[in-house]
Amino acid sequence: MSLRRLTLLAAGLTMAWLGVAAADSKDTLLNVSYDPTREFYVEFNKAFAKKWEAETGRALTVRQSHGGSGKQARSVIDGLDADIVTLALGYDIDAIADTGLLPKDWQSRLPNNSSPYTSTIVFLVKKGNPKGIKDWNDLVKPGVQVITPNPKTSGGARWNYLAAWAYALQANGGDEGKAKEFVAQLLKNVPVLDSGARGATVTFTQREIGDVLLAWENEAYLSLQEFGADKFEIVVPSLSILAEPPVAVVDKVVDRKGTRKVAEAYLQFLYTREGQEIAAKNFYRPRLPELASQYAGRFADVKLVTIDQFGGWRAAQEKHFSDGGVFDQIFQKGR
Amino acid sequence: MPADTSITAPVSIPVPPGRSALTEPTWVRALLIVGALLFLALFLLLPLVAVFAEALRRGFGAYWLALTEPDAVAAIKLTLIVAAVSVPANLLFGVVASWCVAKFDFRGKNLLITLIDLPFSVSPVISGLIYVLLFGMNGFFGSYLRDMGVQIIFAVPGLVLATIFVTFPFVARELIPLMQEQGSDEEEAALVLGASGWQTFWRVTIPNIKWGLLYGVLLCNARAMGEFGAVSVVSGHVRGETNTMPLHVEILYNEYNFVAAFAVASLLAMLALVTLVVKTALEWRFGDELAASRH
C-alpha cells in the first residue's frame, strides 16, 4: 500500500512538472490583461492564431489571464510569465518596467502611446433612469448609490476617479480643494468597492446593487448586449476622460521563452485593419481613421480630457493613488 | 433532576399524561424537528437545488457542452491533479505527525499540535500570499528559482503547495485524538511478541486507525478540490492552465456565462455529495467497527 501511494505521489508530481514544462513550448503566448477585455481578446486571439498559422505554418495558443489592472501588474511583477501585457493604463506597465522586465521607454515603442484602441468612461443606469442621472453632479446627491471598483486594484476605477476629478475642476474653475471635496462626496455614495471592473459590473447588473455604474464605455455596451437594452441604458456625461489602455511586450520574458517574434507580431496585428475592426466590434474606439469614422455613430461625441492634464500617469498615480495619496485621505475620511 | 424525583418518589408525583419524565413535550419536539429541517432546507437544500436548476436551465445539451469545453476539462484535470498530489502528501504527514504526538513524549509537543492547527486559523488569502512572498520574483527564492528555470507560483507546484497548506490539519486532526485514546499498549504487546516495527505498524496501528484515517482523507480531499482563496492568490488565473474548478466557476460567472458557471459548480457540488455518500455508506456498513475503534 505504501509503495503504491508513493508511486501515485511521484506520478502526480511528475504530471505537475510536465504541465509546467509544456507551458514553455514556443508557440504559446500568455496575454495578461485587465478585466473587461475578455470577450474582445477571445475573438482577437482566434483571428491572430489563424493569421500566424497561415504565415508561418505553426500552430499558436494564446492563453488569457484577466483581473483588475493593478492586480494583474502585481502578478507579473511577482513572476507571472506574461509575454504580453495589455493593461488598463500606462502606470501599471510603468510599475512592471520599474522592476526591469521591460525598458522604461516602452510606451514610445508602438504608435499612439502604445494604445491601439481607446475608450472612455460613461454611466450605466437602470432603464428609464429612475434617479434622473444626467451628469457627474448628480452622483454626489444624497441617496444615489454609485458603483465603481477599487482604484487601488482596478484601472477602470482610476479612470472613473480622474474623470470625476476633471469634471469637478472644470465646474469649479480649477479649484483643487473643491475637486477633492466633490470626489470625496462621490466616494461616500459608493456602497461597495470591487477589485476589478467586471466585478463591479456584476455587482450592478446581477446583484442589482446601486443606482449607477461608472463603467468603461465598452463594458457598458457589453452589458446592454448581454442583458438587453430593455433593462439598462447608457448616460453620457458632459465631460469624460480619454482612456488609453496600453499594450507592451515583456522583454525579459519573451527573450527567455524565445517568443519575441510572435509576441511583437501579435501587438502589431492590433493596429491592422482586421485587429481594429475586432476592437470596434467589441465597443473599443478604433485608432484607424477610416474605421473611426465608420463606427463614429456608435460612440458618443463627448468632450474628453486626457491624462496629460494630470501630468501623465506617473504623476497622477503618485498624487492620487499611492499610499497616503489623495484617494486614501478622502476615502478614509468618508468612512 | 426529574430523574432523581422519579427514583426517590415514583408514586407520589405522577408523570403527566403524554409526557414521560425524561423527554420534552411533543410540541417542543415537533417544533425543534421542524425548525431544524426548515433551517436545513433553507440554507443547504435550496441553494443546492438552485445550483442544479440554474445549471440545467438550457437543457442537458448545454450542460454537457459546458463541462466538455476545453477550458473546463483543463480545470477539472488540474483540480484532480492538485488533489492527487496534496491528499497523499497530507495523508503521509498526518499519519507521521499523529504517530509522533500520540505515541511519544517530547519537548515542544504542544507547539507541534498548535502548529498543525495553524492553517485552520489563518485566512486562506494569507496562505496563498506566503507562497508569493517565498517564491515570487521578489521573494526569498524567487530570482534563484527563475535562474534555475523553475516556476512555482502561477503554476501547478504553487497551487499544490497552497492546497497542501490549507488542507494540512485534516488527517492529523482526525487521528491525534483517536491515537491518543488508544495509547500504545497494543503496539507494545506486538513488540513483546516479536513483531518488527513495520509489522506492528501495518498489523496493529493501521487497522486501529483506518476509519479515522478514511474520515480525514475524505475531508481533506473535499477541501483540496473546493479551495478557492489560497489558490486564487497563487494561480495567476491563466485559462486552461492554472485555473482550478472553483476559479473557473468565478471566471465563467464574471463572463455572464451563468449556465456554464453553475454546470461546473454542480460538478463540485456532486463531488461533495459523493464524499458525503461514501462517508455515510461506510458508517452504515461498518458502524459497529467504527464505534469500537473510537472508544
Side-chain angles (χ1 to χ4, degrees), chain B residues 11-257:
Chain B
V11 189
S12 61
I13 301 175
V15 178
R19 181 184 174 186
S20 99
L22 282 169
T23 59
E24 304 300 331
T26 325
W27 67 269
V28 173
R29 261 187 289 165
L31 203 70
L32 281 174
I33 292 171
V34 169
L37 284 180
L38 266 182
F39 190 84
L40 269 181
L42 203 64
F43 287 95
L44 280 176
L45 212 57
L46 201 64
L48 202 62
V49 171
V51 166
F52 283 93
E54 184 71 25
L56 291 166
R57 207 182 51 192
R58 299 237 178 93
F60 195 77
Y63 180 81
W64 185 245
L65 215 62
L67 290 184
T68 48
E69 172 256 343
D71 283 344
V73 172
I76 295 167
K77 258 197 215 154
L78 181 62
T79 305
L80 294 178
I81 289 176
V82 168
V85 182
S86 48
V87 172
N90 273 332
L91 172 83
L92 203 69
F93 165 80
V95 172
V96 171
S98 36
W99 176 276
C100 284
V101 169
K103 309 283 179 189
F104 306 108
D105 270 320
F106 54 90
R107 278 161 155 260
K109 189 161 138 177
N110 282 326
L111 185 72
L112 180 66
I113 298 178
T114 315
L115 280 180
I116 290 174
D117 272 346
L118 190 70
F120 274 160
S121 46
V122 168
S123 157
V125 177
I126 311 293
S127 317
L129 278 179
I130 51 175
Y131 290 106
V132 175
L133 276 180
L134 281 178
F135 301 116
M137 264 300 260
N138 306 300
F140 295 128
F141 309 119
S143 44
Y144 171 72
L145 287 170
R146 173 52 49 89
D147 294 344
M148 304 272 295
V150 177
Q151 176 95 16
I152 302 275
I153 56 166
F154 308 123
V156 181
L159 293 170
V160 170
L161 281 176
T163 306
I164 287 183
F165 183 87
V166 170
T167 55
F168 201 62
F170 283 97
V171 175
R173 264 288 125 203
E174 199 64 42
L175 288 187
I176 289 173
L178 182 62
M179 287 171 86
Q180 270 176 337
E181 213 172 308
Q182 287 171 349
S184 43
D185 297 352
E186 292 184 29
E187 278 85 359
E188 279 163 19
L191 287 177
V192 167
L193 292 173
S196 72
W198 256 151
Q199 282 174 321
T200 315
F201 179 73
W202 286 114
R203 303 224 175 140
V204 179
T205 311
I206 286 290
N208 274 340
I209 61 168
K210 61 182 173 196
W211 297 116
L213 196 60
L214 200 64
Y215 260 48
V217 167
L218 280 175
L219 289 177
C220 182
N221 186 51
R223 179 69 187 267
M225 288 184 172
E227 174 58 23
F228 178 85
V231 293
S232 173
V233 178
V234 296
S235 139
H237 303 274
V238 184
R239 289 194 114 176
E241 212 173 283
T242 62
N243 245 348
T244 61
M245 280 163 76
L247 300 177
H248 194 59
V249 171
E250 191 206 22
I251 284 193
L252 291 170
Y253 185 78
N254 277 344
E255 280 167 10
Y256 311 121
N257 199 344

Side-chain angles (χ1 to χ4, degrees), chain A residues 29 31 40-55 60 62 84 86 110-111 115-117 247 249 261-280 286-288 291:
Chain A
L29 279 183
N31 175 1
F40 164 47
Y41 275 113
V42 166
E43 202 177 336
F44 180 83
N45 291 346
K46 264 190 212 135
F48 179 70
K50 214 165 124 194
K51 180 176 178 276
W52 182 252
E53 194 168 357
E55 278 174 10
L60 170 75
V62 185
I84 293 152
T86 55
L110 286 167
S115 307
Y117 41 82
V247 301
V249 164
K261 232 176 124 192
V262 56
E264 278 172 355
Y266 183 85
L267 292 191
Q268 287 296 342
F269 188 56
L270 281 168
Y271 288 91
T272 63
R273 197 191 155 89
E274 198 181 348
Q276 291 276 296
E277 193 125 35
I278 298 171
R287 292 279 198 182
L288 214 61
L291 273 179

Side-chain angles (χ1 to χ4, degrees), chain A residues 4-275:
Chain A
R4 231 179 64 205
R5 286 209 188 274
L6 277 176
T7 328
L8 262 177
L9 179 69
L13 276 169
T14 322
M15 270 154 84
W17 288 110
L18 279 180
V20 180
D24 275 331
S25 86
K26 288 223 163 168
D27 291 293
T28 304
L29 279 183
L30 173 58
N31 175 1
V32 172
S33 193
Y34 62 111
D35 235 356
T37 54
R38 299 160 191 256
E39 292 77 9
F40 164 47
Y41 275 113
V42 166
E43 202 177 336
F44 180 83
N45 291 346
K46 264 190 212 135
F48 179 70
K50 214 165 124 194
K51 180 176 178 276
W52 182 252
E53 194 168 357
E55 278 174 10
T56 64
R58 296 175 66 102
L60 170 75
T61 318
V62 185
R63 299 264 185 229
Q64 284 295 131
S65 169
H66 296 276
S69 184
K71 191 183 107 191
Q72 294 293 80
R74 185 73 241 171
S75 293
V76 173
I77 291 169
D78 281 334
L80 181 59
D81 256 348
D83 301 274
I84 293 152
V85 282
T86 55
L87 296 179
L89 47 87
Y91 178 75
D92 288 332
I93 302 185
D94 281 338
I96 300 172
D98 284 346
T99 65
L101 284 171
L102 67 164
K104 297 211 175 189
D105 65 345
W106 62 270
Q107 197 150 18
S108 57
R109 292 194 294 188
L110 286 167
N112 305 110
N113 285 330
S114 291
S115 307
Y117 41 82
T118 67
S119 191
T120 186
I121 301 301
V122 297
F123 304 163
L124 189 69
V125 296
K126 293 186 183 113
K127 188 71 194 172
N129 198 356
K131 296 260 170 153
I133 291 159
K134 297 256 157 33
D135 207 348
W136 291 97
N137 55 352
D138 293 315
L139 304 183
V140 297
K141 289 182 179 159
V144 172
Q145 285 198 322
V146 183
I147 303 296
T148 176
N150 187 346
K152 291 279 186 177
T153 51
S154 156
R158 275 173 274 174
W159 290 112
N160 292 348
Y161 172 105
L162 291 180
W165 190 277
Y167 169 86
L169 273 185
Q170 187 201 251
N172 294 299
D175 186 335
E176 288 256 326
K178 289 257 175 65
K180 195 168 165 181
E181 233 167 75
F182 180 86
V183 176
Q185 194 64 39
L186 196 161
L187 285 172
K188 265 189 205 161
N189 282 350
V190 178
V192 44
L193 288 174
D194 287 286
S195 71
R198 185 51 62 85
T201 310
V202 170
T203 297
F204 181 73
T205 56
Q206 277 302 112
R207 288 190 248 149
E208 301 188 357
I209 297 174
D211 303 305
V212 51
L213 172 75
L214 307 188
W216 292 95
E217 185 178 45
N218 53 285
E219 183 78 352
Y221 274 112
L222 187 71
S223 302
L224 289 192
Q225 189 179 287
E226 284 292 326
F227 297 102
D230 55 332
K231 289 190 80 178
F232 300 102
E233 61 183 67
I234 291 174
V235 172
V236 181
S238 66
L239 176 132
S240 195
I241 194 161
L242 175 72
E244 294 186 310
V247 301
V249 164
V250 184
D251 295 62
K252 280 265 174 71
V253 176
V254 294
D255 288 343
R256 177 161 41 80
K257 298 204 320 199
T259 47
R260 178 177 284 278
K261 232 176 124 192
V262 56
E264 278 172 355
Y266 183 85
L267 292 191
Q268 287 296 342
F269 188 56
L270 281 168
Y271 288 91
T272 63
R273 197 191 155 89
E274 198 181 348

